[in-house]
Amino acid sequence: MSKKGYSPGKEEQGKLFVHAGHRERVKELFLKTGLDSFSSHSVLELLLYYAIPQKDTNALAHRLIRQFGSLSAVFDAPFEELLKVDGIGRSAAILIKMIPQLCRRYEEDLENGQMAIFDYEEAGKLFVKKYIGRKNESVMLMLLDSRERILYCDVVSEGNATAANIYIKKIVSLASRYDAVYAILAHNHPSGECLPSKQDLDTTRWVYHALETIEVQLIDHIIVGSNNYISLAKSKIMPELFNQELDME
């Protein structure tokens, strides 16, 4: 406990000096080699320097890995569970929770302004990136012009994809506003399972026919689970809808 006028003794000063020296060596190693040479706990140790000053974060990093099982599991752990780990305060937990969403924003920003033409596989990979760090089910819409260039790609609804009546008007409105020719629907399964449910298929039909009224063709519905995805068009699950031959094949 800190006290007014308190100053650390020689032994404590020595420990602080050792920790400071160690931190600088870790930082210099990162600048020289990047994170490729770092173990999982070393990555966490370095990250936690910026939320926990003047303390040894090495043991805490090991504790986090043991508690949650892996580096990615630490980043995906609920905020409240992180706070239960001895040594993790609010600032450290917030920093940890920022990482997946920071990665997603970075990936999204790389795509901004690019007029690349996407095929089905590239579209699927793009949606996987856009769902990084998202724990709640949400619906996304990608709109394309006649040359399959991206006009719009963003979240249109938070909540499960079965509530089509809630967001279907927004999808039609956006497609009309951007003068789109093609559309791709996507939603995520937080459970990690990619296979579509009957409700997912019903929703696909509703959106397909709603867009058809404004002469916009729904060419795929992509379902993302963890780091994987399934394309209803490529899998031929709904041949009565997705049987068109496009340049994207």
Side-chain angles (χ1 to χ4, degrees):
M1 182 180 296
S2 62
K3 299 178 182 178
K4 188 175 181 180
Y6 168 79
S7 60
K10 288 185 178 180
E11 183 177 351
E12 190 172 351
Q13 286 178 340
K15 288 181 179 179
L16 291 173
F17 178 78
V18 170
H19 289 323
H22 174 69
R23 286 188 175 208
E24 286 307 311
R25 287 191 294 274
V26 173
K27 291 175 184 177
E28 286 301 318
L29 180 61
F30 167 71
L31 291 175
K32 282 183 178 180
T33 68
L35 291 179
D36 289 343
S37 64
F38 280 57
S39 63
S40 293
H41 77 269
S42 295
V43 172
L44 275 178
E45 178 188 1
L46 174 59
L47 178 67
L48 290 170
Y49 290 169
Y50 301 96
I52 304 175
Q54 298 184 339
K55 286 186 180 179
D56 179 11
T57 59
N58 182 279
L60 178 55
H62 278 284
R63 196 150 59 244
L64 284 164
I65 297 291
R66 284 197 304 270
Q67 174 76 19
F68 298 106
S70 68
L71 181 63
S72 59
V74 172
F75 292 140
D76 287 338
F79 180 76
E80 293 75 14
E81 293 301 313
L82 289 169
L83 291 176
K84 293 178 183 179
V85 177
D86 185 31
I88 293 294
R90 182 178 175 82
S91 294
I94 289 173
L95 180 62
I96 290 171
K97 293 306 298 177
M98 278 182 61
I99 298 304
Q101 297 192 36
L102 184 62
C103 290
R104 186 186 76 234
R105 290 293 296 269
Y106 172 77
E107 292 287 353
E108 289 176 349
D109 193 67
L110 285 178
E111 301 292 342
N112 283 346
Q114 293 188 6
M115 299 301 289
I117 298 175
F118 285 80
D119 60 24
Y120 290 115
E121 183 177 356
E122 288 173 328
K125 289 178 179 178
L126 174 61
F127 279 120
V128 169
K129 291 177 183 178
K130 285 187 172 291
Y131 279 108
I132 292 173
R134 296 185 189 275
K135 295 303 177 185
N136 297 323
E137 191 163 346
S138 58
V139 179
M140 289 192 180
L141 177 68
M142 179 188 291
L143 298 173
L144 309 170
D145 65 13
S146 61
R147 296 170 61 187
E148 291 99 39
R149 295 176 302 181
I150 296 177
L151 300 170
Y152 172 91
C153 188
D154 207 351
V155 174
V156 293
S157 176
E158 295 282 351
N160 71 61
T162 63
N165 59 315
I166 296 174
Y167 61 82
I168 197 165
K169 289 182 179 179
K170 184 175 182 179
I171 289 175
V172 172
S173 175
L174 284 167
S176 178
R177 185 190 312 166
Y178 281 89
D179 198 20
V181 175
Y182 304 115
I184 299 177
L185 191 67
H187 79 281
N188 62 322
H189 286 173
S191 65
E193 176 60 61
C194 292
L195 290 177
S197 66
K198 180 182 181 302
Q199 291 172 320
D200 292 336
L201 301 182
D202 288 341
T203 297
T204 306
R205 291 188 183 91
W206 297 336
V207 174
Y208 182 95
H209 292 302
L211 288 172
E212 197 175 33
T213 64
I214 58 169
E215 299 182 337
V216 175
Q217 188 175 11
L218 182 68
I219 58 175
D220 202 357
H221 184 172
I222 292 170
I223 300 173
V224 176
S226 298
N227 292 319
N228 204 359
Y229 71 92
I230 187 170
S231 158
L232 297 192
K234 293 297 286 183
S235 64
K236 308 298 183 185
I237 290 177
M238 302 183 76
E240 76 277 16
L241 298 184
F242 302 123
N243 59 359
Q244 65 277 357
E245 297 293 330
L246 298 174
D247 291 339
M248 288 177 66
E249 291 288 357

PDB file of all heavy atoms in Angstrom, residues 89-104:
ATOM      1  N   GLY A  89      -6.332  -5.990 -13.953  1.00  0.00           N
ATOM      2  CA  GLY A  89      -7.268  -4.933 -13.596  1.00  0.00           C
ATOM      3  C   GLY A  89      -8.074  -4.496 -14.810  1.00  0.00           C
ATOM      4  O   GLY A  89      -7.945  -5.057 -15.900  1.00  0.00           O
ATOM      5  N   ARG A  90      -8.849  -3.478 -14.616  1.00  0.00           N
ATOM      6  CA  ARG A  90      -9.738  -3.003 -15.679  1.00  0.00           C
ATOM      7  C   ARG A  90      -8.955  -2.555 -16.923  1.00  0.00           C
ATOM      8  O   ARG A  90      -9.317  -2.896 -18.048  1.00  0.00           O
ATOM      9  CB  ARG A  90     -10.603  -1.864 -15.131  1.00  0.00           C
ATOM     10  CG  ARG A  90     -11.617  -1.317 -16.120  1.00  0.00           C
ATOM     11  CD  ARG A  90     -12.473  -0.233 -15.483  1.00  0.00           C
ATOM     12  NE  ARG A  90     -13.363   0.369 -16.462  1.00  0.00           N
ATOM     13  CZ  ARG A  90     -14.516  -0.142 -16.842  1.00  0.00           C
ATOM     14  NH1 ARG A  90     -14.926  -1.285 -16.325  1.00  0.00           N
ATOM     15  NH2 ARG A  90     -15.265   0.475 -17.742  1.00  0.00           N
ATOM     16  N   SER A  91      -7.888  -1.802 -16.727  1.00  0.00           N
ATOM     17  CA  SER A  91      -7.113  -1.297 -17.865  1.00  0.00           C
ATOM     18  C   SER A  91      -6.496  -2.425 -18.676  1.00  0.00           C
ATOM     19  O   SER A  91      -6.518  -2.401 -19.911  1.00  0.00           O
ATOM     20  CB  SER A  91      -6.018  -0.340 -17.375  1.00  0.00           C
ATOM     21  OG  SER A  91      -6.577   0.830 -16.822  1.00  0.00           O
ATOM     22  N   ALA A  92      -5.941  -3.430 -17.978  1.00  0.00           N
ATOM     23  CA  ALA A  92      -5.329  -4.558 -18.672  1.00  0.00           C
ATOM     24  C   ALA A  92      -6.381  -5.359 -19.429  1.00  0.00           C
ATOM     25  O   ALA A  92      -6.152  -5.797 -20.569  1.00  0.00           O
ATOM     26  CB  ALA A  92      -4.595  -5.451 -17.676  1.00  0.00           C
ATOM     27  N   ALA A  93      -7.547  -5.552 -18.812  1.00  0.00           N
ATOM     28  CA  ALA A  93      -8.619  -6.315 -19.466  1.00  0.00           C
ATOM     29  C   ALA A  93      -9.122  -5.587 -20.706  1.00  0.00           C
ATOM     30  O   ALA A  93      -9.389  -6.206 -21.742  1.00  0.00           O
ATOM     31  CB  ALA A  93      -9.766  -6.558 -18.480  1.00  0.00           C
ATOM     32  N   ILE A  94      -9.253  -4.269 -20.626  1.00  0.00           N
ATOM     33  CA  ILE A  94      -9.689  -3.484 -21.788  1.00  0.00           C
ATOM     34  C   ILE A  94      -8.666  -3.591 -22.912  1.00  0.00           C
ATOM     35  O   ILE A  94      -9.022  -3.769 -24.085  1.00  0.00           O
ATOM     36  CB  ILE A  94      -9.910  -2.014 -21.394  1.00  0.00           C
ATOM     37  CG1 ILE A  94     -11.165  -1.884 -20.513  1.00  0.00           C
ATOM     38  CG2 ILE A  94     -10.045  -1.128 -22.632  1.00  0.00           C
ATOM     39  CD1 ILE A  94     -11.383  -0.499 -19.936  1.00  0.00           C
ATOM     40  N   LEU A  95      -7.387  -3.501 -22.575  1.00  0.00           N
ATOM     41  CA  LEU A  95      -6.338  -3.610 -23.590  1.00  0.00           C
ATOM     42  C   LEU A  95      -6.392  -4.964 -24.295  1.00  0.00           C
ATOM     43  O   LEU A  95      -6.310  -5.046 -25.522  1.00  0.00           O
ATOM     44  CB  LEU A  95      -4.966  -3.412 -22.944  1.00  0.00           C
ATOM     45  CG  LEU A  95      -3.760  -3.502 -23.878  1.00  0.00           C
ATOM     46  CD1 LEU A  95      -3.820  -2.424 -24.950  1.00  0.00           C
ATOM     47  CD2 LEU A  95      -2.458  -3.403 -23.086  1.00  0.00           C
ATOM     48  N   ILE A  96      -6.557  -6.028 -23.529  1.00  0.00           N
ATOM     49  CA  ILE A  96      -6.647  -7.380 -24.105  1.00  0.00           C
ATOM     50  C   ILE A  96      -7.855  -7.491 -25.029  1.00  0.00           C
ATOM     51  O   ILE A  96      -7.759  -8.047 -26.129  1.00  0.00           O
ATOM     52  CB  ILE A  96      -6.715  -8.435 -22.980  1.00  0.00           C
ATOM     53  CG1 ILE A  96      -5.362  -8.537 -22.266  1.00  0.00           C
ATOM     54  CG2 ILE A  96      -7.120  -9.805 -23.536  1.00  0.00           C
ATOM     55  CD1 ILE A  96      -5.385  -9.381 -21.008  1.00  0.00           C
ATOM     56  N   LYS A  97      -8.999  -6.953 -24.601  1.00  0.00           N
ATOM     57  CA  LYS A  97     -10.213  -7.055 -25.411  1.00  0.00           C
ATOM     58  C   LYS A  97     -10.150  -6.186 -26.670  1.00  0.00           C
ATOM     59  O   LYS A  97     -10.899  -6.418 -27.624  1.00  0.00           O
ATOM     60  CB  LYS A  97     -11.442  -6.665 -24.581  1.00  0.00           C
ATOM     61  CG  LYS A  97     -11.765  -7.626 -23.441  1.00  0.00           C
ATOM     62  CD  LYS A  97     -11.900  -9.061 -23.933  1.00  0.00           C
ATOM     63  CE  LYS A  97     -13.015  -9.251 -24.917  1.00  0.00           C
ATOM     64  NZ  LYS A  97     -13.072 -10.647 -25.436  1.00  0.00           N
ATOM     65  N   MET A  98      -9.261  -5.186 -26.678  1.00  0.00           N
ATOM     66  CA  MET A  98      -9.120  -4.342 -27.867  1.00  0.00           C
ATOM     67  C   MET A  98      -8.454  -5.089 -29.025  1.00  0.00           C
ATOM     68  O   MET A  98      -8.697  -4.754 -30.188  1.00  0.00           O
ATOM     69  CB  MET A  98      -8.267  -3.108 -27.541  1.00  0.00           C
ATOM     70  CG  MET A  98      -8.999  -1.973 -26.877  1.00  0.00           C
ATOM     71  SD  MET A  98      -7.874  -0.570 -26.606  1.00  0.00           S
ATOM     72  CE  MET A  98      -7.394  -0.173 -28.298  1.00  0.00           C
ATOM     73  N   ILE A  99      -7.623  -6.075 -28.718  1.00  0.00           N
ATOM     74  CA  ILE A  99      -6.766  -6.660 -29.746  1.00  0.00           C
ATOM     75  C   ILE A  99      -7.549  -7.282 -30.908  1.00  0.00           C
ATOM     76  O   ILE A  99      -7.278  -6.965 -32.071  1.00  0.00           O
ATOM     77  CB  ILE A  99      -5.804  -7.689 -29.128  1.00  0.00           C
ATOM     78  CG1 ILE A  99      -4.882  -6.998 -28.108  1.00  0.00           C
ATOM     79  CG2 ILE A  99      -4.973  -8.364 -30.207  1.00  0.00           C
ATOM     80  CD1 ILE A  99      -4.089  -5.826 -28.665  1.00  0.00           C
ATOM     81  N   PRO A 100      -8.533  -8.183 -30.680  1.00  0.00           N
ATOM     82  CA  PRO A 100      -9.261  -8.746 -31.822  1.00  0.00           C
ATOM     83  C   PRO A 100      -9.965  -7.683 -32.659  1.00  0.00           C
ATOM     84  O   PRO A 100      -9.945  -7.744 -33.894  1.00  0.00           O
ATOM     85  CB  PRO A 100     -10.272  -9.702 -31.161  1.00  0.00           C
ATOM     86  CG  PRO A 100      -9.690 -10.025 -29.837  1.00  0.00           C
ATOM     87  CD  PRO A 100      -8.991  -8.777 -29.408  1.00  0.00           C
ATOM     88  N   GLN A 101     -10.576  -6.694 -31.995  1.00  0.00           N
ATOM     89  CA  GLN A 101     -11.286  -5.665 -32.741  1.00  0.00           C
ATOM     90  C   GLN A 101     -10.319  -4.729 -33.457  1.00  0.00           C
ATOM     91  O   GLN A 101     -10.617  -4.224 -34.551  1.00  0.00           O
ATOM     92  CB  GLN A 101     -12.202  -4.879 -31.800  1.00  0.00           C
ATOM     93  CG  GLN A 101     -13.286  -5.761 -31.194  1.00  0.00           C
ATOM     94  CD  GLN A 101     -14.363  -4.979 -30.493  1.00  0.00           C
ATOM     95  OE1 GLN A 101     -14.738  -3.900 -30.919  1.00  0.00           O
ATOM     96  NE2 GLN A 101     -14.877  -5.529 -29.401  1.00  0.00           N
ATOM     97  N   LEU A 102      -9.146  -4.501 -32.866  1.00  0.00           N
ATOM     98  CA  LEU A 102      -8.113  -3.714 -33.535  1.00  0.00           C
ATOM     99  C   LEU A 102      -7.633  -4.425 -34.799  1.00  0.00           C
ATOM    100  O   LEU A 102      -7.432  -3.793 -35.845  1.00  0.00           O
ATOM    101  CB  LEU A 102      -6.942  -3.487 -32.574  1.00  0.00           C
ATOM    102  CG  LEU A 102      -5.802  -2.599 -33.064  1.00  0.00           C
ATOM    103  CD1 LEU A 102      -6.304  -1.188 -33.344  1.00  0.00           C
ATOM    104  CD2 LEU A 102      -4.678  -2.568 -32.041  1.00  0.00           C
ATOM    105  N   CYS A 103      -7.485  -5.752 -34.715  1.00  0.00           N
ATOM    106  CA  CYS A 103      -7.093  -6.545 -35.886  1.00  0.00           C
ATOM    107  C   CYS A 103      -8.146  -6.434 -36.984  1.00  0.00           C
ATOM    108  O   CYS A 103      -7.817  -6.307 -38.170  1.00  0.00           O
ATOM    109  CB  CYS A 103      -6.901  -8.008 -35.492  1.00  0.00           C
ATOM    110  SG  CYS A 103      -5.462  -8.306 -34.449  1.00  0.00           S
ATOM    111  N   ARG A 104      -9.416  -6.499 -36.589  1.00  0.00           N
ATOM    112  CA  ARG A 104     -10.498  -6.388 -37.569  1.00  0.00           C
ATOM    113  C   ARG A 104     -10.492  -5.022 -38.239  1.00  0.00           C
ATOM    114  O   ARG A 104     -10.613  -4.913 -39.456  1.00  0.00           O
ATOM    115  CB  ARG A 104     -11.852  -6.634 -36.902  1.00  0.00           C
ATOM    116  CG  ARG A 104     -13.010  -6.663 -37.905  1.00  0.00           C
ATOM    117  CD  ARG A 104     -14.352  -6.768 -37.227  1.00  0.00           C
ATOM    118  NE  ARG A 104     -14.768  -5.516 -36.635  1.00  0.00           N
ATOM    119  CZ  ARG A 104     -15.125  -5.366 -35.368  1.00  0.00           C
ATOM    120  NH1 ARG A 104     -15.103  -6.381 -34.541  1.00  0.00           N
ATOM    121  NH2 ARG A 104     -15.491  -4.185 -34.900  1.00  0.00           N
TER     122      ARG A 104
END
